[in-house]
């Protein structure tokens, strides 16, 4: 399963970089979104693709019985998802405002308005 995930993550990174190198600011933001999703999948995959029980220790036992899921990568990815959503919301508002002023989606045309 890990090799399939590695290929999928590589394709997400490649698509994200390709979109971020385009001249359209909307494609730049979509690439940024793909980049954050690829990073989240990379964290999950590097933590191990093992199905396990919740990491709860029953009363009277020193350790959980059997294999348990690691909660740290899940917490990191959950935090990264919230941060990525905030960045995406800010970028969408910024794009909308820039389009209202410049009337263009092209980054080169936006450079011409610099003073």
């Amino acid at each position: 399963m890990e090799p399939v995930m590695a290929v999928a993550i590589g394709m997400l990174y490649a698509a994200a970089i390709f979109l971020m190198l385009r001249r359209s600011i909307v494609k730049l933001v979509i690439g940024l979104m793909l980049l954050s999703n690829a990073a989240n999948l990379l964290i999950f995959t590097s933590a191990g693709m093992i199905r396990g029980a919740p990491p709860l220790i029953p009363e009277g036992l020193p350790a959980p019985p059997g294999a348990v899921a690691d909660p740290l990568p899940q917490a990191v990815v959950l935090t990264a998802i919230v941060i990525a959503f905030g960045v995406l919301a800010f970028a969408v508002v910024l794009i909308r405002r820039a389009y209202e002023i410049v009337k263009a989606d092209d980054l080169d045309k936006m450079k011409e308005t610099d003073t």
Side-chain angles (χ1 to χ4, degrees), residues 7-90:
V7 170
I9 292 167
M11 289 173 49
L12 276 175
Y13 272 117
I17 291 171
F18 177 77
L19 286 173
M20 290 174 71
L21 292 175
R22 300 291 99 198
R23 290 179 14 186
S24 170
I25 196 163
V26 173
K27 290 178 184 174
L28 178 101
V29 171
I30 293 172
L32 185 66
M33 213 169 47
L34 283 177
L35 189 70
S36 68
N37 287 335
N40 291 341
L41 281 177
L42 181 66
I43 292 170
F44 265 141
T45 304
S46 65
M49 302 287 290
I50 299 171
R51 286 190 178 206
L56 302 173
I57 301 174
E59 284 188 42
L61 293 179
V68 295
D70 188 9
L72 183 63
Q74 296 174 13
V76 169
V77 169
L78 183 61
T79 304
I81 289 170
V82 171
I83 292 170
F85 181 72
V87 169
L88 178 66
F90 177 73

Side-chain angles (χ1 to χ4, degrees), residues 100-115:
E100 285 176 0
I101 293 172
V102 180
K103 301 290 188 215
D105 183 28
D106 192 1
L107 288 173
D108 289 337
K109 291 181 182 175
M110 288 184 181
K111 284 183 185 177
E112 295 170 3
T113 61
D114 288 344
T115 55

